């Protein structure tokens, strides 16, 4: 038995030190970064915020909105190939959309068809396996890189330096990092496996950058400040699912629920009722997802995700405006003129309390 004694950190365990800055206004900072990659020869300009390849936020509709802001969307892997082809031929997806694949042969055939038959459309691929420590992931990375040397290849998920290094040296441009931190994830509850997200980013980014690779922090964003902390810790991309799940454009019906308030209607003498709106959001390894997208849950698997009803938050464009506004403000506080400089300009305080919760969070 071994134990690492040092306490690992999550977003909530730190705040960021403000620094003297020569930036007078948020409008002076540049949130668009030019990304260069280890293997993919293409350069991309964007703000490294990306929606997860989950069924409600990794959608065509969400992708269109993300692209408008030079942000990214990782499409979920359950679209039929014809629909993917229609989307990538009708929209300019070259830079901002990733196509997902798992380890199944059907996934490979689908991606191979698109890369071969539509070579100038979308060449950003995400190999997504909750546990990238299994050997077949690395084998697939090698196969993809050999067959399609020019693709932008993201692979995950990992949380340790060894695997990040291994995947990058095998052909990955970006390693997706995070295990157990997702809002719809119950992996930590049912397996005890996982690593706090901030420490994951520190270690994985340091390793990746040392060998010319990049990382995408995946999961665990609760507040916009967490996106800033993720970039501050060294993430090149920050992926989010639950954060976007409540936007109007996310897939899924809106559910209306009636709640009794503690105010009394003076005319009727009865409690005033309030209607609240929600969207259903579910983990991609949940039993719900297995039933919806596959043929039910195999006997050897346990559900590693859950189903939640997320309060409706408003339009995705407004959310993106808030995110980018928060990021600009962060850069002004720490004196970072360019997104690329954010991690160099970030110093964290370890804290016991992050927020004043007198009036709720
Ligand atoms: P969030 O932004 O919601 O905190 O995290 C999103 C991430 O959670 C996804 O990108 C994915 O890596 C992870 N995730 C999505 N569904 C599941 C699931 O069912 N189980 C687990 N363990 N992780 C999930």
């Amino acid at each position: 038995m071994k134990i690492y004694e040092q306490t690992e950190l999550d977003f909530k365990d730190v705040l960021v030190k403000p620094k003297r800055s020569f930036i007078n206004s948020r409008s002076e900072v540049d949130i668009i970064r030019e990304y260069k990659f280890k293997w993919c020869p293409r350069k991309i300009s964007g703000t490294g915020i990306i929606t997860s390849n989950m069924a409600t936020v990794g959608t065509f509709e969400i992708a269109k909105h993300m692209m408008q802001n030079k942000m990214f969307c990782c499409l979920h892997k359950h679209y039929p190939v014809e629909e993917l082809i229609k989307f990538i031929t009708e929209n300019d997806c070259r830079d901002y959309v990733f196509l997902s694949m798992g380890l199944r042969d059907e996934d490979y055939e689908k991606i191979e068809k698109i890369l071969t038959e539509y070579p100038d459309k979308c060449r950003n691929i995400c190999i997504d396996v909750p546990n990238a420590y299994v050997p077949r992931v690395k084998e697939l990375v090698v196969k993809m890189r050999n067959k399609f040397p020019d693709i932008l290849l993201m692979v995950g998920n990992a949380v340790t330096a060894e695997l990040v290094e291994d995947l990058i040296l095998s052909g990955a441009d970006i390693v997706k990092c995070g295990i157990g931190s997702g809002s719809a994830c119950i992996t930590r509850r049912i397996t005890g496996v996982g690593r706090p997200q901030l420490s994951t980013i520190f270690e994985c980014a340091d390793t990746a950058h040392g060998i010319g690779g990049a990382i995408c922090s995946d999961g665990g964003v609760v507040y916009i400040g967490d996106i800033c902390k993720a970039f501050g810790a060294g993430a090149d991309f920050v992926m989010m699912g639950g954060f976007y799940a409540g936007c109007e454009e996310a897939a899924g019906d809106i559910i209306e629920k009636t709640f009794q308030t503690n105010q009394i209607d003076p005319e009727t003498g009865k409690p005033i009722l309030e209607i609240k709106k929600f969207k259903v959001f579910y983990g991609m390894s949940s039993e719900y997802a297995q039933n919806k997208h596959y043929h039910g849950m195999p006997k050897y698997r346990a559900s590693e995700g859950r189903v939640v009803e997320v309060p409706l938050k408003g339009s995705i464009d407004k959310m993106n405006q808030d995110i980018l506004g928060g990021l600009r403000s962060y850069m002004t506080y720490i004196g970072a003129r360019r997104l690329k400089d954010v991690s160099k300009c970030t110093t964290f305080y370890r804290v016991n309390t992050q927020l004043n919760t007198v009036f709720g969070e």
Side-chain angles (χ1 to χ4, degrees), residues 269-306:
K270 290 185 179 163
I272 295 176
L273 300 178
E274 186 187 4
I275 295 175
K276 288 188 183 165
K277 294 180 176 176
F278 299 85
K279 282 238 165 171
V280 173
F281 176 63
Y282 55 93
M284 297 311 288
S285 305
S286 62
E287 187 166 2
Y288 182 88
Q290 294 290 320
N291 290 335
K292 199 171 163 85
H293 303 292
Y294 299 100
H295 305 293
M297 193 84 170
K299 281 214 169 57
Y300 61 87
R301 280 187 70 152
S303 169
E304 288 194 31
R306 59 182 173 162

Side-chain angles (χ1 to χ4, degrees), residues 52-54 128 130 157 176 178 180-187 218-221 239-243 281-286 304-306:
S52 296
N53 51 355
M54 299 176 74
D128 184 35
N157 279 20
K176 195 151 71 74
S181 51
S183 58
C185 160
I186 56 167
T187 296
D218 179 15
V221 167
M239 180 176 269
M240 286 169 275
F243 194 87
F281 176 63
Y282 55 93
M284 297 311 288
S285 305
S286 62
E304 288 194 31
R306 59 182 173 162

